[in-house]
């Protein structure tokens, strides 16, 4: 009986408190696979410059309305194109730095070069955004992946 009374009091206290909510805008990309110039099927669609222009446009529009914007890349941004092959993803990280990302997620295609190589690359990069990941066991020897 005491547990029921305790939970009833907690429940009534939590839901009796005033609640404030705020609108945020979330912009995200995913599965770009190093296509920095254009889309696979149409050379007139896509590209990092176009994407950056759209991010800036929607961030400014939201800011004018008092809305905060968060920009994410949901992963699989490295492997898949010549930009990845030429520099093992370094150029993609550089472009992502300029995009204004808040966070980037490492997808399954973002460490195909191996955990050791990804750790080395991340050690060389000065990222302006944080990386998050799931379903990846990172040993203590991979300090750059852990710290980014």
């Amino acid at each position: 009986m005491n547990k029921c009374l305790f939970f009833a009091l907690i429940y009534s206290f939590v839901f009796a408190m005033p609640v404030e909510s705020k609108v945020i805008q979330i912009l995200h990309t995913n599965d770009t696979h190093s296509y920095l110039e254009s889309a696979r099927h149409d050379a007139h669609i896509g590209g990092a410059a176009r994407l950056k222009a759209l991010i800036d446009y929607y961030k400014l529009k939201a800011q004018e309305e008092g809305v905060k914007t968060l920009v994410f890349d949901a992963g699989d941004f490295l492997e898949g194109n010549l930009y990845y092959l030429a520099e093992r993803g370094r150029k993609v990280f550089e472009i992502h730095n300029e995009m204004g990302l808040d966070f980037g997620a490492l997808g399954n295609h973002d460490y195909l070069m191996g955990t050791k190589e990804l750790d080395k690359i991340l050690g060389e990069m000065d990222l302006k955004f944080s990386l998050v990941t799931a379903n990846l066991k990172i040993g203590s020897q991979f300090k750059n992946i852990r710290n980014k």
Side-chain angles (χ1 to χ4, degrees):
M1 184 67 176
N2 288 340
K3 284 184 182 179
C4 290
L5 181 59
F6 174 75
F7 285 116
L9 286 172
I10 295 295
Y11 182 82
S12 62
F13 177 73
V14 168
F15 288 101
M17 296 177 65
V19 177
E20 182 181 333
S21 63
K22 292 188 179 193
V23 174
I24 62 168
Q25 172 175 252
I26 298 174
L27 302 176
H28 84 92
T29 57
N30 61 283
D31 294 281
T32 54
H33 293 282
S34 294
Y35 281 88
L36 301 177
E37 290 183 292
S38 62
R40 279 186 210 186
H41 305 292
D42 188 339
H44 300 97
I45 298 175
R50 174 73 176 139
L51 183 58
K52 172 68 172 148
L54 287 169
I55 289 170
D56 289 346
Y57 171 79
Y58 285 110
K59 280 178 83 170
L60 180 62
K61 190 173 177 179
Q63 184 180 9
E64 290 170 353
E65 297 175 15
V67 175
K68 178 162 176 52
T69 299
L70 298 173
V71 183
F72 298 93
D73 187 290
D76 288 355
F77 54 85
L78 287 178
E79 184 275 329
N81 194 312
L82 290 175
Y83 287 104
Y84 168 76
L85 295 173
E87 297 185 41
R88 306 283 282 179
R90 288 169 180 85
K91 184 58 67 182
V92 179
F93 279 119
E94 290 173 16
I95 296 295
H96 270 59
N97 268 341
E98 301 306 317
M99 292 295 215
L101 295 178
D102 295 298
F103 295 96
L106 289 175
N108 62 314
H109 291 273
D110 296 326
Y111 55 93
L112 290 178
M113 77 284 285
T115 312
K116 187 175 180 179
E117 181 69 13
L118 177 61
D119 189 69
K120 178 183 173 214
I121 292 166
L122 288 174
E124 298 168 1
M125 305 303 304
D126 182 22
L127 298 183
K128 297 178 184 176
F129 59 95
S130 297
L131 285 174
V132 295
T133 188
N135 301 323
L136 178 63
K137 185 175 181 179
I138 303 169
S140 60
Q141 72 271 29
F142 303 115
K143 64 179 186 231
N144 297 311
I145 296 174
R146 289 177 157 281
N147 296 331
K148 299 280 182 170

